[in-house]
Amino acid sequence: QGKFVESGGGFVEFGGSVRLSCTASGFQFNVRGVRWFRQAPGEERVLVASLSVIDGRVYYADSVAGRFTISRDDAKNTMSLQMNSLKPEDTAVYFCNAFHLGGGPEYWGLGMQVIVSS
């Protein structure tokens, strides 16, 4: 029942920007922290960014810090990842995620492919 509707993936030029967004439906979004993961071809899924629902604490992987920005808009049940100064090594499938520290299931997007030209 609970799911995300995704938008924003695609082909991007080196140094370009893209904004990924996921809109939640079927679950209470505003009580959950949000995270973005990515999985490059042949590699494991890794955490890119997270945003706490409790205190607003933000985490970025070293590889994206200073270039990516995670945000949320609870009025729209939407989480976003603004990606700037993109590099070929950013090429991956990106996944949005919502979690609850008090327990219960996590919710995942199906994944958005981002390909950055070399």
Side-chain angles (χ1 to χ4, degrees), residues 10-24:
F11 222 102
V12 189
E13 296 295 322
F14 177 85
S17 298
V18 68
R19 185 177 182 87
L20 305 179
S21 295
C22 292
T23 299

Side-chain angles (χ1 to χ4, degrees), residues 26-59:
F27 66 92
Q28 190 172 1
F29 178 74
N30 62 2
V31 301
R32 296 177 178 270
V34 295
R35 301 182 292 202
W36 286 94
F37 294 80
R38 71 184 183 188
Q39 187 168 18
E43 300 183 10
E44 296 184 356
R45 186 177 302 184
V46 297
L47 178 66
V48 174
S50 66
L51 176 59
S52 172
V53 72
I54 298 175
D55 59 9
R57 182 179 178 182
V58 176
Y59 164 84

